[in-house]
Amino acid sequence: MADKASLTIGDKNFDYPVMSGSVGPDVIDIRKLYGQTDVFTYDPGFTSTASCQSQITYIDGDAGILLHRGYPIDQLAEQSNFMEVSYLLLNGELPGSDELEQFTRTITRHTMLHEQLATFYRGFRRDAHPMAIMCGVVGALSAFYHDSTDITDPRQRMIASHRLIAKMPTIAAMAYKYSVGQPFLYPQNDLSYTGNFLRMTFGVPAEPYEVNPIIEKAMDRIFILHADHEQNASTSTVRLAGSSGANPFACIAAGIACLWGPAHGGANEAALNMLREIGRPERIPEYIARAKDKDDPFRLMGFGHRVYKNFDPRAKVMQQTATEVLDDLGISDPVLDTARELAEIALKDDYFIEKKLYPNVDFYSGVILSAIGFPTTMFTALFALARTVGWVAQWNEMIADPEQKIGRPRQLYTGPTQRDYVPVGKR
Ligand code: CMC
């Protein structure tokens, strides 16, 4: 592509530099646009806007490609593990065995929560949604770990990052325990990151808990599949919150709040609820018709993506994992059959073909999580747990970026122009 782009406004011409990344579309650098022309660009939802430069994750939505630091997601999901992927996202390279061991040890040793945080949970109603608890507790970490909130100190930033990755499983497991009225379990350092989380969630103090290796592997893979996804809504929220200099725990709490929405991380919960509501394959056409009806707000949850206009590569791995887990555990779940059939029908339907709507990561994950024993309300909390590493990696990258400024979009104002105040008695 050319190295500059020209813009004509009225009888004036302006040139803007074109920047190229290592792969993917070029971008037009419009940073000087307003200063030179007195106009802004208009792009609600940022569909054509690159908000930053990043070296962490690359997505080619048309080709269905997702790379973390250059490594394809399917290779990482098949061959790596969540600790290694976390190291990769944070540091840019795969660790050597010593580095991996040290990183894993550091994360393991940060898994306990300040004891006083347990009382924080008790302020929530028992029926509180785990995401409501996660927002509150993660935000509260900034009141407990004062020695890692100075964002100008790279060491404190790294400690905060390690704490967030390490404590998130404990926080999520405690949210679950609180909802079922069981005692909280402390982490156990001889278990893996994922095994530890499973024990803290499903174990009880009254008896030993044995981690099922099949479930541990599937869960770890689910964490890898959710670890990062470039500048999605929650990551952009974390970056925007962080751009003001807010502390890391507050920024991640903001990311959790954004992730909760049904158009984003809340879709896994919504997708399983939808599949259960459909119940049997005969009802699929009714739901497909509703999804296509412009007057019906219903959407096929777990379908469609802002960036992927092809099969979400994470959905492919997730579908295969769903089959493996259910087979290994000897579970036959009609919901998986409904999901498969729904996907098959939708993928042949003109509406979905024309709009390039394919199953996304959330379409099959609920089936696996439900087979493992998680209630639907925990699904998005698990997404938050895994995405925390992506959030902190992106947050660190932003703070270290000399081009970063406070995020401050402008607007096209369409409200009333200036008018005089009229006292209430005269209106
Ligand atoms: N079912 C039916 N129609 C759909 C769907 C769907 N799931 N998704 C998009 N469409 C239609 C939409 O109505 C629109 O039609 P038209 O052009 O006639 O107005 C067209 O496809 C484009 O949709 P859009 O809403 O403009 O696209 P977007 O990029 O703003 O939205 C999305 C992307 C993911 C929010 C949307 O596809 C959606 O709501 N999907 C269901 C929720 C979901 O599964 N979300 C998880 C996303 S992946 C995990 C994550 O990021 O957290």
Side-chain angles (χ1 to χ4, degrees):
M1 194 176 164
D3 58 0
K4 65 175 186 173
S6 302
L7 175 70
T8 307
I9 304 177
D11 56 0
K12 287 202 179 119
N13 259 322
F14 303 91
D15 286 338
Y16 294 96
V18 172
M19 297 165 68
S20 298
S22 43
V23 58
D26 289 341
V27 301
I28 303 168
D29 177 356
I30 55 157
R31 279 174 288 184
K32 296 211 168 84
L33 179 82
Y34 177 61
Q36 291 175 341
T37 63
D38 261 348
V39 300
F40 296 131
T41 53
Y42 181 62
D43 186 18
F46 308 117
T47 51
S48 297
T49 297
S51 60
C52 61
Q53 296 190 38
S54 181
Q55 300 182 352
I56 301 175
T57 292
Y58 172 71
I59 303 174
D60 180 337
D62 292 323
I65 290 171
L66 167 61
L67 311 176
H68 291 319
R69 303 284 191 183
Y71 296 101
I73 188 64
D74 48 328
Q75 290 184 22
L76 294 172
E78 289 293 330
Q79 300 172 48
S80 184
N81 60 62
F82 185 67
M83 273 301 87
E84 194 176 54
V85 171
S86 298
Y87 183 99
L88 174 70
L89 288 169
L90 272 180
N91 299 291
E93 294 297 334
L94 284 169
S97 48
D98 287 353
E99 289 161 326
L100 180 59
E101 199 192 309
Q102 166 145 20
F103 178 72
T104 308
R105 197 178 328 120
T106 304
I107 296 297
T108 306
R109 297 229 167 115
H110 274 301
T111 47
M112 278 201 302
L113 277 191
H114 192 290
E115 194 61 18
Q116 226 173 310
L117 267 166
T119 53
F120 204 87
Y121 280 76
R122 300 200 163 89
F124 286 97
R125 277 170 51 139
R126 285 274 174 209
D127 58 357
H129 195 286
M131 286 297 277
I133 299 183
M134 302 270 289
C135 281
V137 173
V138 173
L141 294 179
S142 47
F144 287 82
Y145 299 101
H146 299 280
D147 58 342
S148 55
T149 53
D150 176 2
I151 64 149
T152 61
D153 177 353
R155 194 179 137 68
Q156 291 204 28
R157 292 207 297 270
M158 207 32 80
I159 295 173
S161 305
H162 291 157
R163 280 188 168 138
L164 278 156
I165 296 166
K167 293 184 197 307
M168 209 53 100
T170 318
I171 293 171
M174 284 169 73
Y176 172 71
K177 284 300 190 202
Y178 186 71
S179 71
V180 290
Q182 288 182 2
F184 299 142
L185 256 61
Y186 290 115
Q188 194 176 297
N189 284 1
D190 58 348
L191 295 176
S192 70
Y193 182 85
T194 304
N196 209 353
F197 170 64
L198 288 169
R199 181 185 157 274
M200 287 189 289
T201 305
F202 297 118
V204 287
E207 53 191 56
Y209 177 82
E210 237 177 76
V211 179
N212 177 328
I214 295 166
I215 296 179
E216 185 181 16
K217 188 160 187 303
M219 194 75 241
D220 200 75
R221 191 180 281 175
I222 291 174
F223 289 162
I224 295 174
L225 293 176
H226 287 94
D228 190 50
H229 213 226
E230 206 235 62
Q231 308 310 321
N232 57 84
S234 57
T235 302
S236 299
T237 301
V238 170
R239 279 184 177 257
L240 194 56
S243 76
S244 73
N247 77 68
F249 305 107
C251 296
I252 301 303
I256 294 172
C258 176
L259 185 76
W260 194 359
H264 192 7
N268 53 14
E269 181 176 347
L272 191 74
N273 289 338
M274 176 193 77
L275 291 170
R276 284 195 178 134
E277 192 184 302
I278 296 176
R280 38 182 215 281
E282 306 86 84
R283 297 189 64 197
I284 290 174
E286 181 196 324
Y287 282 80
I288 296 262
R290 282 188 61 196
K292 289 158 58 172
D293 182 355
K294 278 255 160 273
D295 299 323
D296 189 330
F298 174 78
R299 284 185 167 199
L300 272 197
M301 298 314 283
F303 250 78
H305 198 275
R306 168 60 63 78
V307 181
Y308 293 118
K309 302 303 167 200
N310 198 327
F311 228 95
D312 178 340
R314 302 167 302 170
K316 280 189 190 161
V317 183
M318 203 62 96
Q319 181 184 14
Q320 184 196 332
T321 309
T323 307
E324 280 169 20
V325 170
L326 265 60
D327 285 353
D328 283 342
L329 297 178
I331 297 173
S332 126
D333 187 344
V335 169
L336 182 58
D337 301 332
T338 309
R340 282 198 192 112
E341 204 156 329
L342 177 61
E344 210 168 296
I345 295 175
L347 289 170
K348 285 189 199 133
D349 189 294
D350 283 348
Y351 174 93
F352 292 88
I353 296 171
E354 274 161 27
K355 295 189 190 301
K356 298 188 177 163
L357 300 170
Y358 290 81
N360 60 47
V361 68
D362 290 325
F363 192 64
Y364 295 102
S365 62
V367 180
I368 312 175
L369 296 174
S370 155
I372 293 176
F374 291 102
T376 45
T377 52
M378 275 298 287
F379 293 0
T380 315
L382 301 175
F383 193 156
L385 184 171
R387 182 55 58 85
T388 294
V389 63
W391 289 331
V392 296
Q394 300 266 356
W395 175 82
N396 276 294
E397 183 178 63
M398 180 199 64
I399 307 267
D401 180 353
E403 291 195 343
Q404 105 82 19
K405 285 171 184 283
I406 185 166
R408 181 36 171 113
R410 301 305 298 266
Q411 61 176 8
L412 177 66
Y413 178 70
T414 56
T417 51
Q418 184 169 331
R419 48 185 168 165
D420 288 326
Y421 176 80
V422 180
V424 67
K426 293 197 178 160
R427 272 174 237 156

